[in-house]
Amino acid sequence: HKTNLSKEDFLNAIWEFRRKIKSYGSSSSVASLFYYAGHASQVDGNNFLNPVDTVVKNENDLELESINAQRILNALNENINGIKIMILDSCRNNPFKSSIRSGETGLAQMNAPSGTFIAYSTGPGKVAMDGGVGKYSFFTGSLISNLSLPGITIEEVFKRTRKDVVRLTSRKQVPWESSSLLGDFYFKKN
């Protein structure tokens, strides 16, 4: 668990995460999960997660100052036989809008490699609502509630989360998933 990371700390956390996944071995069926909440940007179909020390003056700075979300998928893919889960609560207004010429908002949909589940707080190219319930966003607060329900698959957890967010935001935000899971996964089986 890491919070408020600089770019250097973020990269170190990814390398540490990747090493840990590799340490289980290629035949392991352990599930790997990456969760990110924070600002992100999309440029030319690439999603960039922004560490707390990100300073962007133009579009090219994103590659230097931010973390390309594909790096996270690459780390998760070290888990060859296990389930890979990536959750992105980051489809907010681009904080660098004035310095980036791209008109794209929200995040681009990423293809989920075999055995992968990618969840977004809102649909591709859409912007998540500000605010939420308590200290969490609408998406994360709803997700936390649904994660504790026993005996439902990951798909059902996120379907219930989507229904909650749609209700809470008066249909202004609709969470999205991309999945290529080959079997059932339960956060809490019993």
Side-chain angles (χ1 to χ4, degrees), residues 58-155:
N58 62 57
E59 212 169 81
N60 297 329
D61 288 344
L62 278 174
E63 191 69 44
L64 298 170
E65 298 291 328
S66 298
I67 308 295
N68 190 320
Q70 186 60 48
R71 269 187 198 236
I72 311 303
L73 277 181
N74 293 344
L76 285 166
N77 279 325
E78 294 290 340
N79 183 357
I80 296 167
N81 293 317
I83 290 176
K84 300 160 276 282
I85 303 166
M86 182 178 195
I87 302 170
L88 300 172
D89 186 1
S90 54
C91 302
R92 295 184 178 91
N93 280 325
N94 185 340
F96 311 112
K97 200 175 204 171
S98 63
S99 59
I100 296 176
R101 62 181 155 76
S102 174
E104 300 165 316
T105 59
L107 295 180
Q109 182 174 347
M110 300 169 66
N111 291 326
S114 182
T116 304
F117 187 93
I118 304 172
Y120 305 88
S121 59
T122 194
K126 303 292 183 187
V127 178
M129 302 290 298
D130 281 332
V133 180
K135 63 181 181 176
Y136 299 109
S137 69
F138 293 113
F139 175 74
T140 295
S142 299
L143 178 59
I144 289 169
S145 296
N146 289 299
L147 284 173
S148 64
L149 299 173
I152 61 173
T153 63
I154 189 172
E155 291 87 359

